Amino acid sequence: MPKRIPELPSEIISEILSRLPVKCLVRFKCVSKTWRSLISHPEFVKNHLKRTKEDTNANHYKIFLSTDPHLSIDPEAYFDADDNLLTTQLKFPVSYPEYSYIEILGSCNGLVCALIHDNPLIYLWNPSTRESRELAIPGSSEDDAFYGFGYDVKLDDYKIVRVSISTSTNSTDGSNSETKVEVFTLKSNIWRTIQDLRCSVLLEGPGTLANGALHWLVRQENGGSKKCVMVSFDLSEEKFLEMVPLRGLTEDDSNWDLELKVLGDWLCLYSHYGLICEAWIMKEYSSEASWTRFLRFNGESIPGGKYWFRLLWVTKNGNVVYDLDGREVVFYNPDEDTARPFIIYHEGDWFESTAYIESLVSPNNISDGLLPNI
């Protein structure tokens, strides 16, 4: 009789699987019920995500475009391969009418948080595993609201923050407006209002996640000039922190188009005025003096550069990926001052975009527990 091949210890199998890419692990769920249970387990998912973030040899970050059809782009390999090999078509969890659109509220650990207008519903979606979760929006959809999405490391939970501004129907100048802060946690599956917490400033755009806090830009008037500062919301403490001034801009930065981004582990401030583009990173968190400029160039060579454009990603070799007015994507090489447009066959008028990391994180399986034995 042939000798029976000894089985590997469960710890070894788990260690081997944790080194594989998401695409392989999704397929390997079909090997057996035991493997499916292991790969889907929250503890394995966290270990795999941690290893993915530490792996600098491979590219695990992708760019999502809400084009028609939706696309995922590999930014690192774009200059070295055929365009068709670097894109993947994605299917959003639900279809929505042509007059509606997706607004991306944030991206964290592989989950993309998106709002469908005219629906209105929020979806948490993992483009890598295709898993999703539908969430209702509290209050009135007519309220002006600013959102943020991130991970609370202390509670090991994901949270959506909604700062809404409602105006009384009897008010014509906004003097009777009310601002409130609401938080949704995946584990509790409920929205709750944070009592006695009001945001006294008008935030800009979706919150940017870095160092366990969501960040927004706020413009303040001072002696006739406008100065931009950064306000942050601590996800664990659930409170707003002190405003941090932005470094490197002129005294009156009202003419600059400003946006916060996260590039790897760094909080990044991207700005452009006319054709002049700059990017600053905060190397020491919450310190004004730590803002360091790492990119500055004239955008004349970028097709469409005379219009609005958004920084999406900076590759390992220094190429910069831009979203031009939600209509085009351009890869720019600042050393050679050359730009290469990414050809998009898009039937809509414009699209939203965001960077995300490939992961196994599920919006439907957030719980505590130990890894199962296999």
Side-chain angles (χ1 to χ4, degrees):
M1 293 182 61
K3 292 184 178 180
R4 183 174 182 269
I5 300 176
E7 295 183 0
L8 291 173
S10 60
E11 296 82 3
I12 301 299
I13 296 177
S14 178
E15 177 70 15
I16 294 173
L17 291 178
S18 69
R19 297 174 182 272
L20 299 179
V22 172
K23 187 175 181 180
C24 294
L25 293 173
V26 171
R27 293 202 306 266
F28 289 169
K29 283 185 177 182
C30 301
V31 170
S32 66
K33 291 183 178 179
T34 304
W35 276 36
R36 182 180 184 85
S37 176
L38 170 66
I39 295 171
S40 302
H41 197 276
E43 193 64 27
F44 178 87
V45 171
K46 285 190 289 186
N47 292 339
H48 181 269
L49 178 62
K50 181 177 182 292
R51 190 181 295 277
T52 297
K53 290 183 175 181
E54 293 172 348
D55 181 12
T56 58
N57 295 322
N59 174 44
H60 303 286
Y61 286 92
K62 301 293 184 288
I63 295 174
F64 165 67
L65 305 178
S66 66
T67 50
D68 184 13
H70 299 334
L71 295 177
S72 175
I73 303 175
D74 183 344
E76 293 292 344
Y78 186 69
F79 275 87
D80 303 319
D82 187 284
D83 296 358
N84 296 325
L85 301 177
L86 301 173
T87 60
T88 302
Q89 288 192 10
L90 300 174
K91 184 177 180 181
F92 199 73
V94 294
S95 58
Y96 49 92
E98 293 182 1
Y99 59 80
S100 185
Y101 65 95
I102 292 178
E103 178 185 353
I104 296 176
L105 307 180
S107 172
C108 175
N109 291 344
L111 294 179
V112 174
C113 184
L115 171 67
I116 305 296
H117 282 263
D118 299 315
N119 207 352
L121 291 169
I122 292 177
Y123 286 88
L124 289 181
W125 175 49
N126 186 325
S128 303
T129 64
R130 311 301 196 261
E131 293 182 85
S132 64
R133 180 169 174 174
E134 180 182 291
L135 310 172
I137 299 176
S140 172
S141 60
E142 300 300 322
D143 296 344
D144 292 329
F146 303 91
Y147 291 87
F149 170 62
Y151 176 67
D152 180 347
V153 65
K154 290 185 179 180
L155 295 181
D156 184 25
D157 201 356
Y158 290 85
K159 295 181 176 181
I160 301 174
V161 177
R162 182 177 191 260
V163 183
S164 59
I165 304 172
S166 58
T167 304
S168 170
T169 55
N170 298 324
S171 173
T172 58
D173 59 359
S175 59
N176 292 333
S177 63
E178 179 185 2
T179 305
K180 66 177 179 179
V181 180
E182 297 164 289
V183 176
F184 177 90
T185 58
L186 262 63
K187 286 183 179 180
S188 69
N189 197 39
I190 61 172
W191 288 93
R192 53 188 171 81
T193 301
I194 302 179
Q195 300 297 329
D196 302 322
L197 180 61
R198 297 291 184 267
C199 179
S200 60
V201 296
L202 184 61
L203 308 177
E204 292 189 7
T208 301
L209 178 69
N211 294 283
L214 293 167
H215 302 77
W216 288 270
L217 294 177
V218 177
R219 294 189 186 272
Q220 294 181 322
E221 290 194 19
N222 184 12
S225 64
K226 292 183 179 180
K227 190 67 179 175
C228 204
V229 297
M230 182 176 68
V231 63
S232 56
F233 180 85
D234 189 294
L235 284 170
S236 296
E237 301 296 329
E238 294 190 349
K239 65 180 182 180
F240 283 96
L241 307 178
E242 292 183 3
M243 296 184 183
V244 177
L246 302 178
R247 185 182 175 94
L249 300 176
T250 60
E251 285 301 317
D252 183 359
D253 53 37
S254 58
N255 292 324
W256 287 81
D257 290 319
L258 305 173
E259 186 175 6
L260 291 173
K261 303 290 293 184
V262 171
L263 298 177
D265 295 329
W266 304 111
L267 181 65
C268 171
L269 172 68
Y270 171 67
S271 61
H272 72 92
Y273 175 59
L275 295 175
I276 303 301
C277 309
E278 295 184 349
W280 300 69
I281 55 175
M282 178 178 277
K283 291 191 173 182
E284 183 180 343
Y285 187 64
S286 291
S287 171
E288 177 187 358
S290 73
W291 284 106
T292 304
R293 189 174 67 192
F294 76 98
L295 182 66
R296 178 182 172 88
F297 64 91
N298 190 311
E300 288 183 351
S301 60
I302 297 180
K306 59 182 179 180
Y307 305 111
W308 171 87
F309 49 107
R310 170 183 293 172
L311 175 68
L312 282 178
W313 195 251
V314 178
T315 66
K316 297 174 184 176
N317 59 6
N319 293 316
V320 186
V321 188
Y322 284 104
D323 172 348
L324 301 186
D325 202 26
R327 289 176 170 81
E328 296 181 83
V329 172
V330 168
F331 287 71
Y332 174 70
N333 186 323
D335 294 331
E336 300 177 0
D337 192 28
T338 57
R340 176 183 173 187
F342 173 74
I343 305 302
I344 300 175
Y345 301 100
H346 178 48
E347 296 183 3
D349 293 331
W350 59 279
F351 55 81
E352 288 261 314
S353 57
T354 189
Y356 69 94
I357 189 171
E358 292 184 310
S359 82
L360 294 165
V361 175
S362 169
N364 303 303
N365 190 21
I366 307 296
S367 62
D368 300 317
L370 299 176
L371 282 171
N373 291 321
I374 59 177

